[in-house]
């Protein structure tokens, strides 16, 4: 049987918004990790929205800030995707 070599992994492109708002990028990644570790009763989207709300609670200057929200959401999604890819890679190595 012919072995097919996987294509090299693509390097992640820098996220300009994450560079501009590093706190929101970090918070998004942490929220994703917490959701993956705890598997709360909330859906992934509800958990993400709740964590963003808690991050911005008490600071009215962030309300309606689309760039910070986008940074948080993209970092959350990217971390979920990276975790899934890493878990898949680990499972293939042990198979």
């Amino acid at each position: 049987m012919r072995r097919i070599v996987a294509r090299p992994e693509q390097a992640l492109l820098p996220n300009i918004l994450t560079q501009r708002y590093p706190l929101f990028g970090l918070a998004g990644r942490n929220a994703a990790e917490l959701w993956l570790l705890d598997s709360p009763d909330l859906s992934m989207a509800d958990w993400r929205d709740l964590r963003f709300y808690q991050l911005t609670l008490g600071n009215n200057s962030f309300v309606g800030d689309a760039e910070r929200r986008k940074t948080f959401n993209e970092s959350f999604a990217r971390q979920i995707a990276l975790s899934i890819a890493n878990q898949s890679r680990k499972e293939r190595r042990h198979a």
Side-chain angles (χ1 to χ4, degrees):
M1 185 159 143
R2 186 174 146 220
R3 182 172 180 205
I4 300 173
V5 180
R7 62 185 165 151
E9 292 182 21
Q10 296 177 352
L12 294 175
L13 298 175
N15 186 333
I16 302 302
L17 287 176
T18 301
Q19 292 173 356
R20 188 177 299 163
Y21 306 110
L23 171 66
F24 287 84
L26 177 63
R29 290 189 303 274
N30 287 340
E33 286 296 327
L34 286 172
W35 188 83
L36 289 166
L37 290 173
D38 286 346
S39 297
D41 294 334
L42 297 173
S43 71
M44 191 182 321
D46 288 341
W47 175 259
R48 181 200 63 209
D49 293 344
L50 175 65
R51 298 299 293 185
F52 183 80
Y53 171 77
Q54 290 172 338
L55 175 64
T56 59
L57 189 63
N59 193 333
N60 293 332
S61 64
F62 297 144
V63 174
D65 188 334
E67 285 190 342
R68 284 182 174 89
R69 178 62 187 230
K70 185 175 180 180
T71 302
F72 183 90
N73 289 352
E74 287 179 358
S75 295
F76 184 92
R78 182 177 275 196
Q79 188 61 39
I80 294 287
L82 285 172
S83 295
I84 291 169
N86 287 338
Q87 185 64 31
S88 174
R89 190 176 306 126
K90 287 177 187 175
E91 289 174 2
R92 281 189 309 216
R93 284 186 197 153
H94 295 295

